[in-house]
Amino acid sequence: MPSLAQRYAPFLRVGAAVERSTLVTHADLLLTQVNSLVCENAMKWALIHPVPGEGEASYRFADADAIVDFAAEHGMRMRGHTLVWHQQVPEWVFRASGGGMASKAEVLGRMQRHIQALLSRYRGMVSCWDVVNEALSDGPQTWRADSGWYRTAGSDDDGDGIPDYIVRAFQYAREADPSARLFYNDYGIEAGAKRERAYALAKTLKERGLIDGVGIQGHWSIHAPDEGVVRSAIERFSSLGLAVEITELDLSVFGWGDISSFDTLPPALERVQASRYGALFRVFRELAEAGKLQAVTFWGIADDQTWLDNFPVKGRKDWPLLFDVMHRPKPAFWSVARW
Ligand code: G3I
């Protein structure tokens, strides 16, 4: 079986999201197929910094350390995911020490110390960070409001048009590790109003020297979006002089809003999936050759371990990746590996 990492080395890095446990259960594929890793959960605030305080005792570094060490040992690049997100962040971050809602200053102080702790621990080992994840709204307004960050530190006191917590997160990350490449990462930013909101945000941050890249997550399906849409989005973000990565790629076999289910993957859908993956990677190769795309990271590596088994329907099997539940290459693998 060919190695995707090797096949794609002239173009871009190929990565996968992992848990500490999958370094063991999926070592076969990880060691041969990818040259970049990201923690699917281990670096998120709730897991790495679950209890209040700043000393070592407040952090749980063991899982992230194991993943970072594995990447270093095998010469893989490591992405950092993620510093500031509205999910998987403990409630105490937004609560005042004396009770009630924390002040903006308190929240920003906690954010700064958290960012400092992670970026200094992993300096030289994690080369790029998703500093802010999913801050944009899916609805008519610009910014996501169902976020503790937005509620406590989302005012725009400096009048730059961006909630202050976002700019501060990038500033703190820059200060903490000037050599790290800093990313804004989000889903659904390949099209429509959300794409333009992400573009405007990235442009302002770029003008202030605070951002180096945009991560387009890529939680897509075998039905949409088409590769032309993806191409335009990559070109648009790249036109800002930023690195662009596909950071969380998987193609669900179910269309958006479809809650049907199957016991096994229907061969017809497996073929559609192969053709969709093939079309996307043709665009990825072309744009990577033009210097407009730097990496593609899958959100997992094989179909036996995917978050989509619990989203949007808990316990419904999905088959979104290139390797099947037995870790064998699917038709989608061959359409990505052969050209
Ligand atoms: O940590 C608890 C554990 O203590 C408990 O025993 C177990 C039982 O269910 O749950 C564990 O928490 C789970 C957590 O992952 C860590 O494993 C949560 O239930 C589960 O909901 C959570 O899901 C993660 C999700 O982010 C959280 O929203 C997925 O694994 C992860 O793939 C997903 O990743 C996100 C990206 O970070 C950002 N972009 C979207 C993407 C998909 O939602």
Side-chain angles (χ1 to χ4, degrees), residues 3-313:
S3 154
L4 287 183
Q6 280 173 21
R7 289 286 283 144
Y8 277 83
F11 305 98
L12 41 73
R13 279 189 184 276
V14 180
V18 296
E19 304 281 17
R20 186 180 189 175
S21 59
T22 60
L23 299 178
V24 178
T25 54
H26 293 65
D28 51 349
L29 295 174
L30 296 172
L31 291 174
T32 53
Q33 295 298 329
V34 304
N35 52 20
S36 175
L37 296 180
V38 62
C39 299
E40 183 170 349
N41 287 293
M43 286 190 184
K44 292 172 182 172
W45 195 311
L47 286 97
I48 205 164
H49 188 181
V51 285
E54 297 309 325
E56 281 263 338
S58 299
Y59 287 84
R60 303 286 179 273
F61 289 120
D63 289 354
D65 283 0
I67 294 169
V68 170
D69 288 348
F70 181 95
E73 186 186 335
H74 297 288
M76 297 175 178
R77 178 190 74 147
M78 190 74 217
R79 304 192 84 249
H81 176 81
T82 176
L83 300 170
V84 174
W85 190 27
H86 64 286
Q87 288 187 32
Q88 289 175 294
V89 53
E91 257 316 302
W92 61 258
V93 175
F94 308 113
R95 240 189 353 251
S97 324
M101 194 167 100
S103 69
K104 181 172 180 177
E106 243 173 326
V107 168
L108 291 177
R110 284 176 187 146
M111 178 205 272
Q112 181 172 23
R113 292 187 293 274
H114 176 87
I115 290 176
Q116 173 67 34
L118 266 65
L119 269 66
S120 60
R121 185 174 189 90
Y122 298 119
R123 185 190 300 256
M125 303 176 95
V126 172
S127 56
C128 65
W129 284 93
D130 291 335
V131 177
V132 176
N133 193 45
E134 301 173 9
L136 290 165
S137 157
D138 297 323
Q141 67 279 37
T142 301
W143 308 105
R144 174 186 291 282
D146 61 339
S147 154
W149 298 110
Y150 186 81
R151 278 196 296 272
T152 55
S155 57
D156 178 17
D157 296 348
D158 57 8
D160 62 0
I162 303 176
D164 291 341
Y165 83 88
I166 299 177
V167 177
R168 292 297 188 90
F170 279 93
Q171 284 170 341
Y172 298 152
R174 245 321 166 247
E175 287 159 15
D177 182 1
S179 70
R181 312 263 289 156
L182 307 184
F183 277 66
Y184 177 72
N185 190 54
D186 210 335
Y187 63 83
I189 57 169
E190 57 279 348
K194 200 169 174 187
R195 184 186 85 171
E196 289 314 298
R197 289 174 194 153
Y199 178 86
L201 170 61
K203 184 167 186 288
T204 306
L205 291 171
K206 168 76 177 163
E207 284 160 2
R208 295 174 63 176
L210 293 175
I211 192 172
D212 305 298
V214 172
I216 300 172
Q217 291 186 3
H219 293 296
W220 297 323
S221 88
I222 61 171
H223 304 297
D226 76 53
E227 63 277 18
V229 167
V230 174
R231 171 196 295 278
S232 316
I234 295 169
E235 287 183 326
R236 182 117 176 96
F237 292 121
S238 166
S239 73
L240 289 171
L242 294 171
V244 181
E245 300 194 16
I246 305 294
T247 50
E248 305 185 15
L249 184 61
D250 46 24
L251 297 189
S252 171
V253 304
F254 301 100
W256 188 247
D258 178 357
I259 54 159
S260 61
S261 61
F262 307 109
D263 292 335
T264 55
L265 173 56
L269 295 189
E270 192 171 46
R271 283 193 295 276
V272 177
Q273 186 179 55
S275 127
R276 297 306 310 141
Y277 264 118
L280 285 169
F281 273 82
R282 267 194 296 283
V283 168
F284 295 160
R285 290 192 295 272
E286 192 190 312
L287 293 179
E289 258 189 320
K292 297 177 180 174
L293 179 68
Q294 275 66 43
V296 176
T297 297
F298 292 92
W299 207 241
I301 187 76
D303 286 345
D304 58 326
Q305 180 82 30
T306 166
W307 75 287
L308 287 169
D309 284 351
N310 289 305
F311 184 89
V313 184

